[in-house]
Each structure stands twice: as structure tokens, then as C-alpha cells.
Short mmCIF file of all heavy atoms in Angstrom, two decimals:
data_model
loop_
_atom_site.label_atom_id
_atom_site.label_comp_id
_atom_site.label_asym_id
_atom_site.label_seq_id
_atom_site.Cartn_x
_atom_site.Cartn_y
_atom_site.Cartn_z
N GLU A 1 0.83 -1.20 0.00
CA GLU A 1 0.00 0.00 0.00
C GLU A 1 0.87 1.26 0.00
O GLU A 1 1.96 1.28 0.55
CB GLU A 1 -0.95 0.02 1.21
CG GLU A 1 -0.26 0.06 2.54
CD GLU A 1 -1.22 0.16 3.71
OE1 GLU A 1 -2.18 0.96 3.63
OE2 GLU A 1 -1.01 -0.56 4.72
N SER A 2 0.36 2.29 -0.65
CA SER A 2 1.08 3.56 -0.75
C SER A 2 0.86 4.40 0.49
O SER A 2 -0.26 4.51 1.00
CB SER A 2 0.60 4.32 -1.99
OG SER A 2 1.16 5.62 -2.03
N LEU A 3 1.95 5.03 0.95
CA LEU A 3 1.89 5.99 2.06
C LEU A 3 2.57 7.29 1.61
O LEU A 3 3.53 7.75 2.21
CB LEU A 3 2.59 5.43 3.30
CG LEU A 3 2.11 4.07 3.83
CD1 LEU A 3 3.03 3.58 4.93
CD2 LEU A 3 0.68 4.18 4.34
N LYS A 4 2.11 7.84 0.51
CA LYS A 4 2.70 9.03 -0.11
C LYS A 4 4.14 8.76 -0.55
O LYS A 4 4.37 8.13 -1.55
CB LYS A 4 2.59 10.25 0.81
CG LYS A 4 1.15 10.70 1.00
CD LYS A 4 1.09 12.01 1.75
CE LYS A 4 -0.35 12.49 1.88
NZ LYS A 4 -0.47 13.76 2.63
N ASP A 5 5.13 9.24 0.21
CA ASP A 5 6.52 9.05 -0.18
C ASP A 5 7.09 7.72 0.31
O ASP A 5 8.29 7.45 0.17
CB ASP A 5 7.39 10.18 0.36
CG ASP A 5 7.02 11.52 -0.27
OD1 ASP A 5 6.58 11.52 -1.43
OD2 ASP A 5 7.18 12.55 0.41
N TYR A 6 6.23 6.89 0.90
CA TYR A 6 6.64 5.59 1.40
C TYR A 6 5.65 4.53 0.91
O TYR A 6 4.57 4.85 0.43
CB TYR A 6 6.67 5.57 2.93
CG TYR A 6 7.76 6.44 3.53
CD1 TYR A 6 7.59 7.82 3.66
CD2 TYR A 6 8.95 5.87 3.98
CE1 TYR A 6 8.59 8.61 4.21
CE2 TYR A 6 9.95 6.67 4.55
CZ TYR A 6 9.76 8.03 4.65
OH TYR A 6 10.75 8.81 5.19
N VAL A 7 6.04 3.28 1.05
CA VAL A 7 5.10 2.18 0.83
C VAL A 7 5.20 1.23 2.02
O VAL A 7 6.26 1.13 2.66
CB VAL A 7 5.38 1.40 -0.48
CG1 VAL A 7 5.15 2.27 -1.69
CG2 VAL A 7 6.77 0.80 -0.49
N ARG A 8 4.09 0.56 2.32
CA ARG A 8 4.11 -0.47 3.35
C ARG A 8 3.93 -1.83 2.66
O ARG A 8 2.94 -2.05 1.96
CB ARG A 8 3.00 -0.25 4.38
CG ARG A 8 3.01 -1.32 5.49
CD ARG A 8 1.89 -1.09 6.48
NE ARG A 8 2.18 0.05 7.35
CZ ARG A 8 1.35 1.06 7.57
NH1 ARG A 8 0.17 1.09 6.96
NH2 ARG A 8 1.68 2.04 8.37
N ILE A 9 4.91 -2.70 2.86
CA ILE A 9 4.86 -4.04 2.27
C ILE A 9 4.35 -5.01 3.32
O ILE A 9 4.98 -5.22 4.36
CB ILE A 9 6.26 -4.47 1.79
CG1 ILE A 9 6.83 -3.45 0.80
CG2 ILE A 9 6.20 -5.86 1.14
CD1 ILE A 9 8.28 -3.72 0.42
N HIS A 10 3.20 -5.59 3.04
CA HIS A 10 2.61 -6.58 3.94
C HIS A 10 3.03 -7.97 3.48
O HIS A 10 2.71 -8.37 2.35
CB HIS A 10 1.08 -6.47 3.93
CG HIS A 10 0.55 -5.16 4.41
ND1 HIS A 10 0.00 -4.99 5.67
CD2 HIS A 10 0.51 -3.94 3.82
CE1 HIS A 10 -0.38 -3.72 5.82
NE2 HIS A 10 -0.08 -3.06 4.70
N THR A 11 3.74 -8.69 4.32
CA THR A 11 4.16 -10.05 3.97
C THR A 11 3.46 -11.05 4.89
O THR A 11 2.71 -10.66 5.79
CB THR A 11 5.69 -10.21 4.10
OG1 THR A 11 6.05 -10.23 5.48
CG2 THR A 11 6.42 -9.07 3.39
N THR A 12 3.73 -12.31 4.67
CA THR A 12 3.11 -13.35 5.50
C THR A 12 3.59 -13.31 6.94
O THR A 12 2.93 -13.86 7.83
CB THR A 12 3.43 -14.74 4.91
OG1 THR A 12 4.86 -14.85 4.74
CG2 THR A 12 2.75 -14.93 3.57
N SER A 13 4.72 -12.63 7.18
CA SER A 13 5.26 -12.62 8.54
C SER A 13 5.56 -11.23 9.10
O SER A 13 5.90 -11.10 10.27
CB SER A 13 6.56 -13.43 8.60
OG SER A 13 7.54 -12.87 7.71
N ASN A 14 5.39 -10.18 8.26
CA ASN A 14 5.86 -8.87 8.71
C ASN A 14 5.19 -7.75 7.93
O ASN A 14 4.51 -7.99 6.93
CB ASN A 14 7.38 -8.79 8.52
CG ASN A 14 8.04 -7.85 9.52
OD1 ASN A 14 7.37 -7.06 10.17
ND2 ASN A 14 9.35 -7.94 9.63
N ARG A 15 5.37 -6.51 8.39
CA ARG A 15 4.97 -5.31 7.65
C ARG A 15 6.17 -4.38 7.64
O ARG A 15 6.68 -4.00 8.70
CB ARG A 15 3.77 -4.61 8.30
CG ARG A 15 2.48 -5.41 8.22
CD ARG A 15 1.29 -4.58 8.67
NE ARG A 15 1.46 -4.08 10.03
CZ ARG A 15 0.64 -3.21 10.61
NH1 ARG A 15 -0.40 -2.72 9.94
NH2 ARG A 15 0.86 -2.80 11.84
N LEU A 16 6.62 -4.00 6.46
CA LEU A 16 7.82 -3.19 6.32
C LEU A 16 7.49 -1.88 5.63
O LEU A 16 6.83 -1.87 4.59
CB LEU A 16 8.87 -3.94 5.49
CG LEU A 16 9.30 -5.32 6.01
CD1 LEU A 16 10.14 -6.04 4.97
CD2 LEU A 16 10.08 -5.16 7.31
N VAL A 17 7.94 -0.77 6.21
CA VAL A 17 7.74 0.55 5.61
C VAL A 17 9.03 0.96 4.92
O VAL A 17 10.10 1.00 5.54
CB VAL A 17 7.32 1.59 6.67
CG1 VAL A 17 7.21 2.97 6.03
CG2 VAL A 17 5.99 1.20 7.30
N VAL A 18 8.91 1.27 3.62
CA VAL A 18 10.08 1.54 2.78
C VAL A 18 9.91 2.92 2.13
O VAL A 18 8.81 3.24 1.65
CB VAL A 18 10.22 0.47 1.68
CG1 VAL A 18 11.43 0.75 0.81
CG2 VAL A 18 10.31 -0.92 2.31
N LYS A 19 10.98 3.71 2.09
CA LYS A 19 10.93 4.98 1.38
C LYS A 19 10.97 4.72 -0.12
O LYS A 19 12.01 4.38 -0.68
CB LYS A 19 12.07 5.91 1.80
CG LYS A 19 11.96 7.30 1.18
CD LYS A 19 12.94 8.28 1.80
CE LYS A 19 12.85 9.65 1.14
NZ LYS A 19 11.49 10.21 1.13
N SER A 20 9.83 4.84 -0.75
CA SER A 20 9.69 4.60 -2.19
C SER A 20 8.29 5.04 -2.56
O SER A 20 7.49 5.42 -1.69
CB SER A 20 9.89 3.12 -2.51
OG SER A 20 9.79 2.88 -3.90
N ASN A 21 7.97 5.03 -3.85
CA ASN A 21 6.58 5.24 -4.24
C ASN A 21 6.05 3.98 -4.89
O ASN A 21 6.82 3.10 -5.30
CB ASN A 21 6.42 6.47 -5.15
CG ASN A 21 7.16 6.32 -6.46
OD1 ASN A 21 6.96 5.37 -7.20
ND2 ASN A 21 8.04 7.28 -6.76
N ILE A 22 4.75 3.88 -5.00
CA ILE A 22 4.16 2.62 -5.44
C ILE A 22 4.46 2.33 -6.91
O ILE A 22 4.52 1.18 -7.32
CB ILE A 22 2.65 2.60 -5.14
CG1 ILE A 22 2.15 1.16 -5.13
CG2 ILE A 22 1.88 3.48 -6.12
CD1 ILE A 22 0.89 0.94 -4.35
N GLY A 23 4.69 3.39 -7.71
CA GLY A 23 5.05 3.17 -9.10
C GLY A 23 6.40 2.49 -9.22
O GLY A 23 6.57 1.55 -10.01
N LYS A 24 7.38 2.96 -8.46
CA LYS A 24 8.70 2.33 -8.47
C LYS A 24 8.61 0.89 -7.97
O LYS A 24 9.27 0.00 -8.51
CB LYS A 24 9.66 3.11 -7.57
CG LYS A 24 10.32 4.30 -8.23
CD LYS A 24 11.37 4.87 -7.30
CE LYS A 24 12.11 6.03 -7.96
NZ LYS A 24 13.13 6.61 -7.05
N MET A 25 7.81 0.68 -6.94
CA MET A 25 7.66 -0.66 -6.40
C MET A 25 7.05 -1.60 -7.43
O MET A 25 7.48 -2.75 -7.59
CB MET A 25 6.79 -0.61 -5.14
CG MET A 25 6.80 -1.88 -4.32
SD MET A 25 8.42 -2.39 -3.70
CE MET A 25 8.91 -0.96 -2.73
N GLU A 26 6.06 -1.11 -8.16
CA GLU A 26 5.41 -1.93 -9.18
C GLU A 26 6.42 -2.38 -10.24
O GLU A 26 6.35 -3.51 -10.73
CB GLU A 26 4.28 -1.14 -9.83
CG GLU A 26 3.48 -1.94 -10.85
CD GLU A 26 2.36 -1.12 -11.48
OE1 GLU A 26 2.39 0.12 -11.35
OE2 GLU A 26 1.47 -1.71 -12.10
N GLU A 27 7.36 -1.51 -10.59
CA GLU A 27 8.36 -1.85 -11.60
C GLU A 27 9.29 -2.97 -11.15
O GLU A 27 9.88 -3.66 -11.99
CB GLU A 27 9.18 -0.61 -11.96
CG GLU A 27 8.43 0.42 -12.77
CD GLU A 27 9.34 1.51 -13.28
OE1 GLU A 27 10.49 1.59 -12.80
OE2 GLU A 27 8.90 2.27 -14.15
N GLN A 28 9.43 -3.17 -9.86
CA GLN A 28 10.32 -4.21 -9.34
C GLN A 28 9.64 -5.57 -9.25
O GLN A 28 10.31 -6.57 -8.98
CB GLN A 28 10.84 -3.81 -7.95
CG GLN A 28 11.75 -2.59 -7.96
CD GLN A 28 12.25 -2.27 -6.57
OE1 GLN A 28 11.69 -1.44 -5.86
NE2 GLN A 28 13.32 -2.91 -6.16
#
């Protein structure tokens, strides 16, 4: 999920907040 200048990655075991935007994340 997008958090403006960050994204939160929800995994099966954790939630990680990363400085990125969702467009960049989608490309990966």
C-alpha cells in the first residue's frame, strides 16, 4: 500500500515501511 513518499509491504510474517513510491515498487 502507498503511504505518499513511502510504501508499506505486507508479507506473510511482517509489515515493512520503505521509502519509495508505489510506481517504483510496481516496476520491481
Side-chain angles (χ1 to χ4, degrees):
E1 63 177 316
S2 173
L3 304 172
K4 292 188 178 179
D5 295 330
Y6 291 81
V7 295
R8 180 181 286 129
I9 303 172
H10 297 257
T11 73
T12 53
S13 60
N14 208 345
R15 292 190 303 172
L16 302 170
V17 176
V18 180
K19 186 169 178 54
S20 181
N21 62 56
I22 200 157
K24 276 188 177 179
M25 192 60 58
E26 184 180 15
E27 288 189 347
Q28 294 181 265

